[in-house]
Amino acid sequence: MFKYLIVVSPLGFLYGSSGAFLSPENLIGRSGSKFPPDAATLAGLFFSENKRHEIAPHETLKHELFVSGPFWAKQDDPDTFYVPIPRHRLIEDDKDDEWKLNAQRQWQRDPAKQDIEIPYRWQSIDAWQRNASKIRNNQEMSKVPWEYVSFLHPQMKSDERHVLDQDGLFLENAVQMDEDHCLVYLSTYPLPDGWYRFGGEGHMVEISSQEIKPDSPIYELLNTKIQKACALIVPGIWGSKHLSHRYPKHSEFPRAGMKMLTDKPIPYRYRIGQRSTQRGRLGRGRYAVPPGTVYVFKKPLEKTWWDFPEEWFPREGLPLKHFGCGLCLPVEIDGVA
C-alpha cells in the first residue's frame, strides 16, 4: 500500500513537453505539451537517486516501488491534495449536475442541462464521497494552479557568458505554478528531503516526503474495497504495447454488464530507461483512458486497486501498475443498488 506523499515544489519554471501527438497546439508552438509530469518521471528519479542515497537494494526497489499521480495541493496542506473529479459529477460556479443510471442501466441526466463542458475538473480528496452540490457549496473544487507561459530564452556562447550574435534568442514554452502550491505523488518509499532535478528538462525542485497517516482521507479510501462503482484518479493504460483498450482485457476482469462514463482518450508515453550501453528510449506511444472515468459493475468487485492482479496491466520493463496505472477509488452512483 502507498505509505508516503512525495511533495514536489517547483523552483521557478517547469516544462510541459512529453512526446508530441498530433493536435491543434502543434501548430502554435505547444507541441505535445503535458503537465504535470506523470508518475513514471518520479519513478525514474527514485532509481537514479538510489545510487546516491541507497533508498533500497536495486532489485528490492524494482519489485516494491509503486508510485502514482500526479496530484497537487496547497503548500501548507499537502495532505488535502486535489484529484480529478469523477466524470459523473458536473460542477460549475452556480449549478451542479450528476449523471445517473436508470432502470435499464443507461446513463442519463437532466435533459434541460445541455452543456457538459465544465470549468472545474479537480476536487479535494477529503470531499471524494460527497455529491456535486455539497462539493460546490463547500468550495472544495478548483481550477489548476498553473498556467502555460512563453518567454525568450538566451543561447549562450560556449566560451563566455554572452548571447550568440546570431539566433541567440529562442522562444521557450514553460509552465509556471502558483508559489503557494505544490505537486503531490503517492509512493511506497520516501525520497530524502532536498533539491532535485525533475522532469525532462531537469529543472530544480524541492522535494519532501510525508508519511500517510492512518486517519487521512486517502488512507481510508485506498483501503476501502470497490463495490459496484469506481473512478480513475490517474490515466488508465490497458491493453498491450500495440493496442489500447478501455478496460483490462483479462478473463478475470468483470466485463459482463459493465458500464462506463468517460471522455476522449489522452496521449500517454514514458521513457523506458537504459538498456546496456544504449541511451534510454521512449516507450511506445499509446492512448490512455482519462482520469475521472467511471466504471460501474454488475456485481460487487470486492477489491481495492491494490488487489488488482498485475496481469491486468500492460508490461513494459515493469508492469504499469508500478507506475500507478489506473489507480481508482470507490464512488457511489445514483441508481446503482
Coordinates of all heavy atoms in Angstrom, one line a residue, residues 84-164:
P84 N -8.6 14.4 -9.8 CA -9.7 14.7 -10.8 C -11.1 14.3 -10.3 O -11.3 13.3 -9.6 CB -9.2 13.8 -12.0 CG -7.7 13.6 -11.8 CD -7.6 13.6 -10.3
I85 N -12.0 15.2 -10.7 CA -13.4 14.9 -10.3 C -14.0 13.8 -11.1 O -13.8 13.7 -12.4 CB -14.3 16.2 -10.6 CG1 -13.8 17.3 -9.7 CG2 -15.7 15.9 -10.3 CD1 -14.5 18.7 -9.9
P86 N -14.6 12.8 -10.5 CA -15.3 11.7 -11.3 C -16.2 12.3 -12.3 O -16.9 13.3 -12.1 CB -16.0 10.9 -10.2 CG -15.3 11.2 -9.0 CD -14.8 12.6 -9.1
R87 N -16.2 11.7 -13.5 CA -16.9 12.2 -14.7 C -18.4 12.3 -14.5 O -19.1 13.1 -15.1 CB -16.6 11.3 -15.9 CG -17.1 11.9 -17.2 CD -16.4 13.3 -17.5 NE -16.8 13.8 -18.8 CZ -16.8 15.1 -19.1 NH1 -16.3 15.9 -18.2 NH2 -17.1 15.5 -20.3
H88 N -19.0 11.6 -13.5 CA -20.5 11.7 -13.3 C -20.9 12.9 -12.6 O -22.1 13.3 -12.5 CB -21.0 10.4 -12.6 CG -20.6 10.4 -11.1 ND1 -19.4 10.1 -10.7 CD2 -21.4 10.5 -10.0 CE1 -19.3 10.1 -9.4 NE2 -20.5 10.4 -8.9
R89 N -19.9 13.7 -12.0 CA -20.2 14.9 -11.4 C -19.8 16.1 -12.3 O -18.7 16.1 -12.8 CB -19.4 15.1 -10.1 CG -19.7 14.0 -9.0 CD -18.8 14.2 -7.8 NE -19.1 13.1 -6.9 CZ -18.1 12.6 -6.1 NH1 -16.9 13.1 -6.1 NH2 -18.4 11.6 -5.2
L90 N -20.8 17.0 -12.5 CA -20.6 18.2 -13.3 C -20.8 19.4 -12.4 O -21.9 19.6 -11.9 CB -21.5 18.2 -14.5 CG -21.5 17.0 -15.4 CD1 -22.6 17.1 -16.4 CD2 -20.2 16.8 -16.0
I91 N -19.7 20.2 -12.1 CA -19.8 21.3 -11.2 C -19.4 22.6 -11.8 O -18.3 22.7 -12.5 CB -18.8 21.0 -10.0 CG1 -19.1 19.6 -9.3 CG2 -18.9 22.1 -8.9 CD1 -18.1 19.2 -8.3
E92 N -20.2 23.6 -11.7 CA -19.9 24.9 -12.1 C -20.1 25.9 -10.9 O -20.4 25.5 -9.8 CB -20.9 25.3 -13.3 CG -20.7 24.4 -14.5 CD -21.5 25.0 -15.7 OE1 -21.4 26.1 -16.0 OE2 -22.3 24.2 -16.2
D93 N -19.9 27.2 -11.2 CA -19.9 28.2 -10.1 C -21.3 28.3 -9.5 O -21.5 28.5 -8.3 CB -19.5 29.5 -10.6 CG -18.0 29.6 -10.9 OD1 -17.2 29.0 -10.0 OD2 -17.5 30.1 -11.9
D94 N -22.3 28.2 -10.4 CA -23.7 28.5 -9.9 C -24.7 27.3 -10.0 O -25.8 27.4 -9.7 CB -24.3 29.7 -10.7 CG -24.3 29.4 -12.2 OD1 -23.6 28.4 -12.6 OD2 -24.9 30.2 -13.0
K95 N -24.2 26.1 -10.4 CA -25.0 25.0 -10.5 C -24.2 23.7 -10.5 O -23.0 23.7 -10.6 CB -25.9 25.0 -11.8 CG -25.1 25.1 -13.1 CD -26.0 25.2 -14.3 CE -25.2 25.3 -15.6 NZ -26.0 25.4 -16.8
D96 N -24.9 22.6 -10.3 CA -24.2 21.3 -10.3 C -25.2 20.3 -10.9 O -26.4 20.5 -11.1 CB -23.9 20.9 -8.9 CG -25.1 21.0 -7.9 OD1 -25.9 20.0 -7.9 OD2 -25.1 22.0 -7.2
D97 N -24.6 19.2 -11.3 CA -25.4 18.1 -12.0 C -24.7 16.8 -11.8 O -23.5 16.8 -11.6 CB -25.5 18.5 -13.5 CG -26.5 17.7 -14.3 OD1 -27.2 16.9 -13.6 OD2 -26.4 17.7 -15.5
E98 N -25.4 15.7 -12.0 CA -24.8 14.4 -11.9 C -25.5 13.5 -12.9 O -26.7 13.5 -13.1 CB -24.9 13.8 -10.5 CG -24.1 14.6 -9.5 CD -23.8 13.8 -8.2 OE1 -24.0 12.6 -8.2 OE2 -23.4 14.4 -7.2
W99 N -24.7 12.6 -13.5 CA -25.2 11.5 -14.3 C -25.7 10.4 -13.4 O -25.2 10.2 -12.3 CB -24.1 10.9 -15.2 CG -23.7 11.8 -16.3 CD1 -22.8 12.8 -16.3 CD2 -24.2 11.8 -17.7 NE1 -22.6 13.4 -17.5 CE2 -23.5 12.8 -18.4 CE3 -25.1 11.1 -18.3 CZ2 -23.7 13.1 -19.7 CZ3 -25.4 11.3 -19.7 CH2 -24.7 12.3 -20.4
K100 N -26.8 9.7 -13.8 CA -27.3 8.6 -13.1 C -27.6 7.5 -14.0 O -27.6 7.6 -15.2 CB -28.7 9.1 -12.4 CG -28.6 10.3 -11.5 CD -29.9 10.7 -11.0 CE -29.8 11.9 -10.1 NZ -31.2 12.4 -9.6
L101 N -27.7 6.3 -13.4 CA -28.1 5.1 -14.2 C -29.6 4.8 -13.9 O -30.0 4.7 -12.8 CB -27.3 3.9 -13.7 CG -25.8 3.8 -14.3 CD1 -25.1 2.6 -13.7 CD2 -25.9 3.6 -15.8
N102 N -30.3 4.7 -15.1 CA -31.8 4.4 -14.9 C -32.0 2.8 -14.7 O -31.0 2.1 -14.6 CB -32.5 4.9 -16.1 CG -32.1 4.3 -17.4 OD1 -31.5 3.3 -17.5 ND2 -32.4 5.0 -18.5
A103 N -33.2 2.4 -14.7 CA -33.5 1.0 -14.5 C -33.0 0.1 -15.6 O -32.7 -1.1 -15.4 CB -35.0 0.8 -14.4
Q104 N -32.8 0.7 -16.8 CA -32.2 -0.1 -17.9 C -30.7 0.0 -18.0 O -30.1 -0.4 -18.9 CB -32.8 0.4 -19.3 CG -34.2 0.1 -19.5 CD -35.2 1.0 -18.6 OE1 -34.9 2.2 -18.5 NE2 -36.2 0.4 -18.1
R105 N -30.1 0.5 -16.9 CA -28.7 0.7 -16.8 C -28.1 1.5 -17.9 O -27.1 1.2 -18.6 CB -28.0 -0.7 -16.7 CG -28.2 -1.4 -15.4 CD -27.5 -2.8 -15.4 NE -26.1 -2.7 -15.5 CZ -25.2 -2.4 -14.5 NH1 -25.7 -2.1 -13.3 NH2 -23.9 -2.4 -14.7
Q106 N -28.8 2.6 -18.2 CA -28.4 3.6 -19.2 C -28.1 4.9 -18.5 O -28.8 5.3 -17.6 CB -29.4 3.8 -20.3 CG -29.7 2.6 -21.1 CD -30.8 2.8 -22.1 OE1 -31.8 3.5 -21.9 NE2 -30.8 2.1 -23.2
W107 N -27.0 5.6 -18.9 CA -26.6 6.9 -18.3 C -27.6 7.9 -18.7 O -28.0 8.0 -19.9 CB -25.2 7.3 -18.7 CG -24.1 6.5 -18.1 CD1 -23.4 5.5 -18.7 CD2 -23.6 6.5 -16.8 NE1 -22.5 4.9 -17.9 CE2 -22.6 5.5 -16.7 CE3 -23.9 7.3 -15.7 CZ2 -21.9 5.3 -15.5 CZ3 -23.3 7.1 -14.5 CH2 -22.2 6.1 -14.4
Q108 N -28.1 8.7 -17.7 CA -29.0 9.8 -18.0 C -28.7 11.0 -17.1 O -28.2 10.8 -16.0 CB -30.5 9.4 -18.0 CG -30.9 8.9 -16.5 CD -32.4 8.5 -16.5 OE1 -33.0 8.2 -17.5 NE2 -32.9 8.5 -15.3
R109 N -29.2 12.2 -17.5 CA -29.1 13.4 -16.7 C -30.2 14.3 -17.0 O -31.0 14.0 -18.0 CB -27.7 14.1 -16.8 CG -27.4 14.4 -18.3 CD -25.9 14.9 -18.4 NE -25.7 16.1 -17.8 CZ -25.7 17.3 -18.4 NH1 -26.1 17.4 -19.7 NH2 -25.4 18.4 -17.8
D110 N -30.3 15.4 -16.4 CA -31.4 16.3 -16.6 C -31.3 16.8 -18.1 O -30.3 17.5 -18.4 CB -31.3 17.5 -15.7 CG -32.5 18.5 -15.8 OD1 -33.2 18.3 -16.7 OD2 -32.6 19.3 -14.9
P111 N -32.3 16.5 -18.9 CA -32.2 16.9 -20.4 C -32.1 18.4 -20.6 O -31.7 18.9 -21.6 CB -33.4 16.3 -21.0 CG -34.3 16.1 -19.9 CD -33.5 15.8 -18.7
A112 N -32.6 19.2 -19.6 CA -32.6 20.7 -19.7 C -31.2 21.2 -19.6 O -31.0 22.4 -19.9 CB -33.5 21.3 -18.6
K113 N -30.2 20.5 -19.0 CA -28.9 20.9 -18.9 C -28.0 20.3 -20.0 O -27.6 19.2 -20.0 CB -28.3 20.5 -17.5 CG -29.1 21.1 -16.4 CD -28.6 20.6 -15.0 CE -29.4 21.2 -13.9 NZ -28.9 20.7 -12.5
Q114 N -27.8 21.1 -21.0 CA -27.2 20.6 -22.2 C -25.6 20.6 -22.2 O -25.0 19.8 -22.7 CB -27.7 21.4 -23.5 CG -29.2 21.3 -23.7 CD -29.6 19.9 -24.1 OE1 -28.8 19.1 -24.7 NE2 -30.8 19.5 -23.7
D115 N -25.1 21.7 -21.6 CA -23.7 21.9 -21.6 C -23.0 20.9 -20.6 O -23.3 20.9 -19.4 CB -23.3 23.3 -21.3 CG -21.9 23.6 -21.5 OD1 -21.2 22.8 -22.1 OD2 -21.4 24.7 -21.0
I116 N -22.0 20.1 -21.1 CA -21.3 19.3 -20.2 C -19.8 19.6 -20.2 O -19.0 18.9 -19.6 CB -21.4 17.8 -20.6 CG1 -20.8 17.5 -22.0 CG2 -22.8 17.3 -20.5 CD1 -20.8 16.1 -22.4
E117 N -19.4 20.8 -20.8 CA -18.1 21.3 -20.7 C -18.0 22.2 -19.4 O -18.6 23.2 -19.4 CB -17.7 22.0 -21.9 CG -17.5 21.1 -23.1 CD -16.5 20.0 -22.9 OE1 -15.4 20.3 -22.3 OE2 -16.7 18.9 -23.4
I118 N -17.3 21.8 -18.4 CA -17.3 22.5 -17.2 C -16.0 23.0 -16.8 O -14.9 22.5 -17.2 CB -17.8 21.5 -16.0 CG1 -16.9 20.2 -16.1 CG2 -19.3 21.1 -16.2 CD1 -17.2 19.2 -15.0
P119 N -16.0 24.1 -16.0 CA -14.7 24.7 -15.7 C -13.9 24.0 -14.6 O -12.7 24.2 -14.5 CB -15.1 26.1 -15.2 CG -16.5 25.9 -14.7 CD -17.1 24.9 -15.5
Y120 N -14.5 23.2 -13.8 CA -13.8 22.6 -12.7 C -13.6 21.1 -12.9 O -14.6 20.4 -13.2 CB -14.6 22.8 -11.4 CG -14.7 24.2 -11.0 CD1 -15.9 25.0 -11.2 CD2 -13.6 24.9 -10.4 CE1 -16.0 26.3 -10.8 CE2 -13.7 26.2 -10.0 CZ -14.9 26.9 -10.3 OH -14.9 28.3 -9.9
R121 N -12.4 20.7 -12.8 CA -12.1 19.3 -13.0 C -11.3 18.7 -11.9 O -10.9 17.5 -11.9 CB -11.3 19.1 -14.3 CG -12.0 19.6 -15.6 CD -12.0 18.5 -16.6 NE -12.8 18.8 -17.8 CZ -13.5 17.9 -18.4 NH1 -13.5 16.7 -18.0 NH2 -14.2 18.3 -19.5
W122 N -11.1 19.4 -10.8 CA -10.4 18.9 -9.6 C -11.1 19.2 -8.4 O -11.8 20.2 -8.2 CB -9.0 19.6 -9.6 CG -8.1 19.3 -10.7 CD1 -8.1 19.8 -12.0 CD2 -7.0 18.3 -10.7 NE1 -7.1 19.3 -12.8 CE2 -6.5 18.4 -12.0 CE3 -6.5 17.4 -9.8 CZ2 -5.4 17.6 -12.4 CZ3 -5.4 16.6 -10.2 CH2 -4.9 16.7 -11.5
Q123 N -11.1 18.2 -7.4 CA -11.7 18.4 -6.1 C -10.8 17.9 -5.0 O -9.8 17.1 -5.3 CB -13.0 17.6 -6.1 CG -12.8 16.1 -6.1 CD -14.1 15.3 -5.8 OE1 -15.0 15.2 -6.6 NE2 -14.1 14.7 -4.6
S124 N -10.9 18.3 -3.8 CA -10.1 17.9 -2.7 C -10.4 16.5 -2.4 O -11.6 16.0 -2.5 CB -10.3 18.8 -1.5 OG -11.6 18.8 -1.1
I125 N -9.4 15.7 -1.9 CA -9.5 14.3 -1.7 C -10.5 14.1 -0.5 O -11.2 13.0 -0.5 CB -8.2 13.7 -1.4 CG1 -8.3 12.2 -1.3 CG2 -7.5 14.3 -0.1 CD1 -8.7 11.5 -2.6
D126 N -10.6 15.0 0.4 CA -11.5 14.7 1.6 C -12.9 14.9 1.2 O -13.8 14.7 2.1 CB -11.1 15.6 2.8 CG -11.1 17.1 2.5 OD1 -11.3 17.4 1.3 OD2 -10.9 17.9 3.4
A127 N -13.2 15.4 0.0 CA -14.6 15.5 -0.4 C -15.0 14.4 -1.4 O -16.0 14.6 -2.1 CB -14.8 16.9 -1.1
W128 N -14.2 13.4 -1.5 CA -14.4 12.4 -2.5 C -15.8 11.7 -2.5 O -16.4 11.5 -3.5 CB -13.4 11.3 -2.3 CG -13.5 10.2 -3.4 CD1 -14.0 8.9 -3.2 CD2 -13.0 10.3 -4.7 NE1 -13.9 8.2 -4.4 CE2 -13.3 9.0 -5.4 CE3 -12.4 11.3 -5.5 CZ2 -13.1 8.8 -6.7 CZ3 -12.2 11.0 -6.8 CH2 -12.5 9.8 -7.4
Q129 N -16.4 11.5 -1.3 CA -17.6 10.8 -1.2 C -18.8 11.7 -1.2 O -20.0 11.3 -1.1 CB -17.7 9.9 0.0 CG -16.6 8.8 0.0 CD -16.9 7.7 -1.0 OE1 -17.8 7.8 -1.8 NE2 -16.3 6.5 -0.8
R130 N -18.6 13.0 -1.4 CA -19.7 14.0 -1.3 C -20.3 14.2 -2.7 O -19.6 13.9 -3.7 CB -19.3 15.3 -0.8 CG -18.8 15.2 0.7 CD -18.2 16.5 1.2 NE -17.6 16.3 2.5 CZ -16.7 17.0 3.0 NH1 -16.3 18.1 2.4 NH2 -16.2 16.8 4.2
N131 N -21.6 14.6 -2.8 CA -22.2 14.8 -4.1 C -21.8 16.2 -4.7 O -21.2 17.0 -4.0 CB -23.7 14.6 -4.0 CG -24.4 15.6 -3.1 OD1 -23.9 16.7 -2.9 ND2 -25.5 15.2 -2.5
A132 N -22.2 16.4 -5.9 CA -21.7 17.6 -6.6 C -22.2 18.9 -5.9 O -21.4 19.9 -5.7 CB -22.3 17.6 -8.0
S133 N -23.4 18.9 -5.3 CA -23.9 20.2 -4.7 C -23.1 20.5 -3.4 O -22.8 21.6 -3.2 CB -25.4 20.0 -4.4 OG -25.6 18.9 -3.5
K134 N -22.8 19.5 -2.6 CA -22.0 19.7 -1.4 C -20.6 20.2 -1.7 O -20.1 21.0 -1.0 CB -22.0 18.5 -0.5 CG -23.4 18.1 0.1 CD -23.3 16.9 1.0 CE -24.6 16.6 1.7 NZ -24.5 15.4 2.6
I135 N -20.0 19.6 -2.8 CA -18.7 20.0 -3.1 C -18.6 21.5 -3.6 O -17.8 22.2 -3.2 CB -18.1 19.1 -4.3 CG1 -17.9 17.7 -3.8 CG2 -16.8 19.7 -4.9 CD1 -17.6 16.7 -4.8
R136 N -19.6 21.9 -4.4 CA -19.7 23.3 -4.8 C -20.0 24.2 -3.6 O -19.4 25.2 -3.5 CB -20.8 23.4 -5.9 CG -20.9 24.9 -6.4 CD -21.9 25.0 -7.6 NE -23.2 24.5 -7.2 CZ -24.1 25.2 -6.5 NH1 -23.8 26.4 -6.2 NH2 -25.3 24.6 -6.3
N137 N -20.9 23.8 -2.8 CA -21.3 24.7 -1.7 C -20.2 24.9 -0.7 O -20.0 26.0 -0.1 CB -22.5 24.1 -0.9 CG -23.8 24.2 -1.8 OD1 -23.9 25.0 -2.7 ND2 -24.7 23.3 -1.4
N138 N -19.3 23.9 -0.5 CA -18.2 24.0 0.4 C -16.9 24.5 -0.3 O -15.9 24.5 0.3 CB -17.9 22.6 1.0 CG -19.1 22.1 1.9 OD1 -19.8 22.9 2.5 ND2 -19.2 20.8 2.0
Q139 N -17.0 24.8 -1.6 CA -15.9 25.3 -2.4 C -14.7 24.3 -2.3 O -13.6 24.7 -2.1 CB -15.5 26.7 -1.8 CG -16.5 27.8 -2.0 CD -16.8 28.1 -3.4 OE1 -15.9 28.4 -4.2 NE2 -18.1 28.0 -3.8
E140 N -15.0 23.0 -2.5 CA -14.0 22.0 -2.5 C -13.6 21.6 -3.9 O -13.0 20.5 -4.0 CB -14.5 20.8 -1.7 CG -14.7 21.2 -0.2 CD -15.5 20.1 0.6 OE1 -16.5 19.6 0.0 OE2 -15.1 19.8 1.7
M141 N -13.9 22.4 -4.9 CA -13.4 22.1 -6.2 C -12.5 23.3 -6.6 O -12.5 24.4 -6.0 CB -14.6 22.0 -7.2 CG -15.3 23.3 -7.6 SD -16.2 24.1 -6.2 CE -17.0 25.4 -7.1
S142 N -11.7 23.1 -7.7 CA -10.8 24.1 -8.0 C -10.3 24.0 -9.5 O -10.3 22.9 -10.0 CB -9.5 24.1 -7.1 OG -8.6 25.1 -7.4
K143 N -9.8 25.1 -10.0 CA -9.1 25.0 -11.3 C -7.6 24.8 -11.0 O -7.2 24.9 -9.9 CB -9.3 26.4 -12.1 CG -10.8 26.6 -12.4 CD -10.9 28.0 -13.1 CE -12.4 28.3 -13.4 NZ -12.5 29.6 -14.0
V144 N -6.8 24.4 -12.0 CA -5.4 24.1 -11.8 C -4.7 25.4 -11.4 O -4.9 26.4 -11.9 CB -4.8 23.4 -13.1 CG1 -5.5 22.1 -13.3 CG2 -4.9 24.4 -14.3
P145 N -3.7 25.2 -10.5 CA -2.9 26.4 -10.1 C -1.6 26.6 -10.9 O -0.6 27.0 -10.4 CB -2.5 26.0 -8.7 CG -2.3 24.5 -8.7 CD -3.4 24.0 -9.7
W146 N -1.7 26.4 -12.2 CA -0.6 26.7 -13.1 C -1.1 27.2 -14.4 O -2.2 27.1 -14.8 CB 0.3 25.4 -13.3 CG -0.4 24.3 -13.9 CD1 -0.7 24.1 -15.3 CD2 -0.9 23.1 -13.3 NE1 -1.3 22.9 -15.5 CE2 -1.5 22.3 -14.3 CE3 -0.9 22.7 -12.0 CZ2 -2.1 21.1 -14.0 CZ3 -1.5 21.5 -11.7 CH2 -2.1 20.7 -12.7
E147 N -0.2 27.8 -15.2 CA -0.5 28.3 -16.5 C 0.7 28.2 -17.4 O 1.8 28.2 -17.0 CB -0.9 29.8 -16.4 CG 0.1 30.7 -15.9 CD -0.3 32.2 -15.8 OE1 -1.4 32.4 -16.4 OE2 0.4 33.0 -15.2
Y148 N 0.4 28.1 -18.7 CA 1.5 28.0 -19.7 C 1.9 29.4 -20.0 O 1.1 30.3 -20.3 CB 1.0 27.3 -20.9 CG 0.8 25.8 -20.7 CD1 -0.4 25.3 -20.4 CD2 1.9 24.9 -20.9 CE1 -0.6 23.9 -20.2 CE2 1.7 23.5 -20.7 CZ 0.5 23.0 -20.3 OH 0.3 21.7 -20.1
V149 N 3.2 29.6 -20.1 CA 3.7 30.9 -20.4 C 4.8 30.8 -21.5 O 5.5 29.7 -21.6 CB 4.3 31.7 -19.2 CG1 3.2 31.9 -18.1 CG2 5.4 30.8 -18.5
S150 N 5.1 31.8 -22.2 CA 6.1 31.8 -23.2 C 7.1 32.9 -22.9 O 6.7 34.0 -22.4 CB 5.6 32.1 -24.6 OG 4.6 31.1 -24.9
F151 N 8.4 32.7 -23.1 CA 9.4 33.7 -22.8 C 10.6 33.5 -23.7 O 10.8 32.4 -24.2 CB 9.8 33.7 -21.3 CG 10.5 32.4 -20.9 CD1 11.9 32.3 -20.9 CD2 9.7 31.4 -20.5 CE1 12.4 31.1 -20.4 CE2 10.3 30.2 -20.0 CZ 11.7 30.1 -20.0
L152 N 11.4 34.5 -23.9 CA 12.6 34.4 -24.7 C 13.7 33.8 -23.9 O 14.1 34.3 -22.8 CB 13.0 35.8 -25.3 CG 12.1 36.3 -26.4 CD1 12.6 37.7 -26.8 CD2 12.2 35.4 -27.6
H153 N 14.4 32.8 -24.4 CA 15.4 32.1 -23.7 C 16.8 32.3 -24.5 O 16.8 32.2 -25.7 CB 15.1 30.6 -23.7 CG 16.0 29.8 -22.7 ND1 17.3 29.6 -22.9 CD2 15.6 29.2 -21.5 CE1 17.8 28.9 -21.9 NE2 16.8 28.7 -21.0
P154 N 17.8 32.7 -23.7 CA 19.1 33.0 -24.4 C 19.9 31.7 -24.7 O 19.9 30.8 -23.9 CB 19.8 33.9 -23.4 CG 19.3 33.5 -22.1 CD 17.9 33.1 -22.3
Q155 N 20.6 31.7 -25.8 CA 21.5 30.6 -26.1 C 22.9 31.2 -26.0 O 23.3 32.2 -26.8 CB 21.3 30.1 -27.5 CG 22.2 28.9 -27.8 CD 21.9 28.2 -29.1 OE1 20.9 28.6 -29.8 NE2 22.6 27.2 -29.5
M156 N 23.7 30.7 -25.0 CA 25.0 31.4 -24.7 C 26.1 30.9 -25.6 O 26.1 29.8 -26.1 CB 25.3 31.1 -23.2 CG 24.1 31.4 -22.2 SD 23.6 33.1 -22.3 CE 25.0 33.9 -21.4
K157 N 27.1 31.7 -25.7 CA 28.4 31.3 -26.4 C 29.1 30.3 -25.5 O 28.9 30.2 -24.3 CB 29.3 32.5 -26.6 CG 28.7 33.6 -27.5 CD 29.7 34.7 -27.7 CE 29.1 35.8 -28.6 NZ 30.1 36.9 -28.8
S158 N 29.8 29.4 -26.1 CA 30.5 28.3 -25.4 C 31.6 28.8 -24.6 O 32.0 28.1 -23.6 CB 31.0 27.2 -26.4 OG 31.9 27.8 -27.3
D159 N 32.2 29.9 -24.9 CA 33.4 30.4 -24.2 C 33.2 31.6 -23.3 O 34.2 32.1 -22.7 CB 34.6 30.6 -25.1 CG 34.2 31.6 -26.2 OD1 33.0 31.9 -26.4 OD2 35.2 32.1 -26.9
E160 N 32.1 32.2 -23.3 CA 31.8 33.4 -22.5 C 30.3 33.5 -22.3 O 29.5 33.0 -23.0 CB 32.3 34.6 -23.2 CG 31.8 34.9 -24.6 CD 32.4 36.1 -25.2 OE1 32.2 37.2 -24.7 OE2 33.1 36.0 -26.2
R161 N 30.0 34.2 -21.2 CA 28.6 34.4 -20.8 C 27.9 35.5 -21.6 O 27.6 36.6 -21.0 CB 28.4 34.6 -19.3 CG 28.9 33.3 -18.5 CD 28.5 33.5 -17.1 NE 27.1 33.6 -16.9 CZ 26.2 32.6 -16.9 NH1 26.6 31.3 -17.1 NH2 24.9 32.8 -16.7
H162 N 27.8 35.4 -22.9 CA 27.2 36.3 -23.8 C 26.3 35.6 -24.7 O 26.6 34.4 -25.1 CB 28.2 37.2 -24.5 CG 28.8 38.2 -23.7 ND1 29.9 37.9 -22.9 CD2 28.6 39.6 -23.5 CE1 30.3 39.1 -22.3 NE2 29.5 40.0 -22.6
V163 N 25.2 36.2 -25.1 CA 24.3 35.6 -26.1 C 25.0 35.5 -27.4 O 25.7 36.4 -27.8 CB 23.0 36.4 -26.1 CG1 22.0 35.8 -27.2 CG2 22.3 36.4 -24.8
L164 N 24.7 34.4 -28.2 CA 25.2 34.3 -29.5 C 24.8 35.5 -30.4 O 23.7 36.1 -30.2 CB 24.6 33.1 -30.2 CG 25.1 31.7 -29.6 CD1 24.4 30.6 -30.4 CD2 26.6 31.5 -29.7

